[in-house]
C-alpha cells in the first residue's frame, strides 16, 4: 500500500496534512501516535471510507477507482469500534465476512475463524452479551472470514485493523498479534493501529509514527522507537532500552517508577 500526499478535512478542521506512507506485503506495519494524531482518519482514507485528496495505491491500483466489491475482495477492515443495533448471534456477525468477501456461502470459514480468535463454542451466543474484548475478537473473525487467504494467484490481500488489541488481555493480545504475523509471513499485508509500543516493537516490521496529522517518523521499530522521538511525540519521558540478545527496543516509562507526573 502506498499513500501519497493525503489530506483530509473533517467539518472545518484539517485533520491530515500531506501524509505519505508505505506498507509492504509480507510485513506488519504499525501506525502509532498520541490520541487524536490522525491514525483512524488515515486508515479510513486508505480504505476509501472518507473523502481525501492525494492518492492511495493498493497492489498498485488506485483505491479511488475500485468498486466496493473489488476492494472487499482484497482487503478487510476492522474498525476501532463497532455498534451492532440488532440482536445478532456471534456466528451471524462472522458470516457477514462471507458476503463481503464473495466467498462461497456454505464454507466452514466462520467456525474456523472463531477458532483462530479463541472463541470456539461462542457461535450461538448473542453478540451484545459478550465482553468488549470478546466482541473485538468476533469482529476480527469476521474480517478473517472475508480475507482468509493472504495471497490469491500471487496477489497479496490486506488486513487493515484499527486498535485490534485495545480491549484484550495479554494472552489474547498475543493470539491476535500472532495471527497478524502469520498472515504477513504467508505473503499478506497487515496495517494495524497500535497503542502498545512494546507489542509494536515485538511484532511490527515497520512503524509509522503520527503526530498532529503528520508523519513524525517511519521506519523499522529500532529506527522509530527511540527516546528522543517518543519523548518529543508523546510529551513525557520514555526511555527506550533494548533486549539482549536481539536488540529489540523495549520501553519502561520512567514516570511510573519515579512517581513523577508524566
Ligand atoms: N467528524 C469530525 N469532525 C471534526 N474533527 C474530527 C472528526 N473526526 C475526527 N476529528 C478530529 O480529527 C483528529 C484525528 O482523529 P482520529 O483520526 O480519530 O485520531 P486517532 O485515531 O489518532 O486517535 C482528532 O483531533 C479528532 O478530534
Ligand atoms: Mg483512532
Amino acid at each position: 500500500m502506498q499513500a501519497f500526499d493525503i489530506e483530509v478535512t473533517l467539518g472545518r478542521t484539517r485533520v491530515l496534512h500531506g501524509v505519505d506512507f508505505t506498507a509492504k506485503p509480507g510485513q506488519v506495519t504499525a501506525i502509532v501516535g498520541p490520541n487524536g494524531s490522525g491514525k483512524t482518519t488515515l486508515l479510513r482514507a486508505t480504505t476509501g471510507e472518507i473523502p481525501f485528496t492525494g492518492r492511495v495505491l493498493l497492489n498498485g491500483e488506485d483505491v479511488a477507482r475500485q468498486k466496493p466489491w473489488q476492494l472487499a475482495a482484497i482487503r478487510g477492515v476492522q474498525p476501532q469500534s463497532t455498534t451492532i443495533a440488532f440482536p445478532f448471534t456471534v456466528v451471524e456477525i462472522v458470516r457477514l465476512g462471507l458476503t463481503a468477501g464473495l466467498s462461497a456461502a456454505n464454507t466452514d470459514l466462520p467456525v474456523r475463524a472463531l477458532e483462530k480468535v479463541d472463541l470456539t463454542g461462542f457461535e450461538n451466543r448473542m453478540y451484545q452479551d459478550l465482553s468488549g474484548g470478546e466482541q473485538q475478537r468476533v469482529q476480527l473473525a469476521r474480517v478473517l472470514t472475508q480475507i482468509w487467504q493472504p495471497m490469491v494467484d500471487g496477489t497479496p490481500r490486506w488486513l487493515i485493523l484499527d486498535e485490534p488489541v485495545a480491549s484484550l488481555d495479554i494472552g489474547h493480545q498475543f493470539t491476535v498479534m500472532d495471527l497478524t504475523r502469520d498472515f504477513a509471513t504467508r505473503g499478506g499485508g497487515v496495517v494495524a493501529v497500535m497503542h502498545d509500543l512494546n507489542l509494536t516493537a515485538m511484532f511490527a516490521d515497520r512503524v509509522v509514527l503520527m503526530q498532529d496529522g503528520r508523519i513524525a517518523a517511519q521506519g523499522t521499530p529500532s529506527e522509530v522507537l527511540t527516546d528522543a522521538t517518543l519523548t518529543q511525540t508523546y510529551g513525557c519521558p520514555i526511555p527506550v532500552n533494548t533486549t539482549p540478545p536481539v536488540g529489540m527496543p523495549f520501553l519502561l516509562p520512567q514516570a511510573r517508577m519515579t512517581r513523577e507526573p508524566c
Side-chain angles (χ1 to χ4, degrees), residues 197 226-240 251-262:
L197 298 175
T226 65
D227 290 25
T229 306
L230 296 181
T231 299
Q232 193 272 328
T233 305
Y234 288 91
C236 66
I238 306 181
V240 180
L251 292 65
L252 207 52
Q254 219 165 26
R256 281 198 184 282
M257 299 173 67
T258 59
R259 296 179 184 274
E260 285 169 7
C262 185

Side-chain angles (χ1 to χ4, degrees), residues 42-174:
L42 179 58
L43 275 201
R44 295 181 70 211
T46 60
T47 58
E49 282 173 73
I50 53 171
F52 62 93
T53 63
R55 225 151 69 95
V56 177
L57 304 181
L58 197 55
N59 300 340
E61 304 276 350
D62 193 334
V63 167
R65 292 166 190 262
Q66 306 269 305
K67 303 252 184 320
W69 63 266
Q70 291 174 310
L71 287 172
I74 54 172
R75 58 110 177 96
V77 183
Q78 182 185 6
Q80 188 167 353
S81 61
T82 313
T83 309
I84 306 281
F86 298 100
F88 282 116
T89 64
V90 164
V91 76
E92 283 168 341
I93 301 274
V94 178
R95 274 202 207 109
L96 296 173
L98 288 178
T99 326
L102 310 173
S103 312
N106 59 351
T107 73
D108 61 352
L109 288 188
V111 171
R112 289 167 66 194
L114 283 168
E115 189 181 347
K116 274 188 185 258
V117 299
D118 193 29
L119 285 175
T120 296
F122 281 64
E123 288 79 359
N124 296 316
R125 297 271 300 272
M126 298 311 294
Y127 179 81
Q128 295 112 307
D129 296 344
L130 302 187
S131 76
E134 288 165 347
Q135 289 184 346
Q136 214 175 358
R137 279 148 55 211
V138 172
Q139 292 299 334
L140 181 59
R142 175 184 60 73
V143 176
L144 289 173
T145 300
Q146 180 187 338
I147 304 291
W148 188 258
Q149 294 292 345
M151 292 266 263
V152 176
D153 300 330
T155 304
R157 289 164 142 203
W158 294 80
L159 295 181
I160 300 182
L161 314 171
D162 198 348
E163 300 199 23
V165 299
S167 321
L168 305 188
D169 64 75
I170 192 162
H172 287 117
Q173 289 182 3
F174 275 83

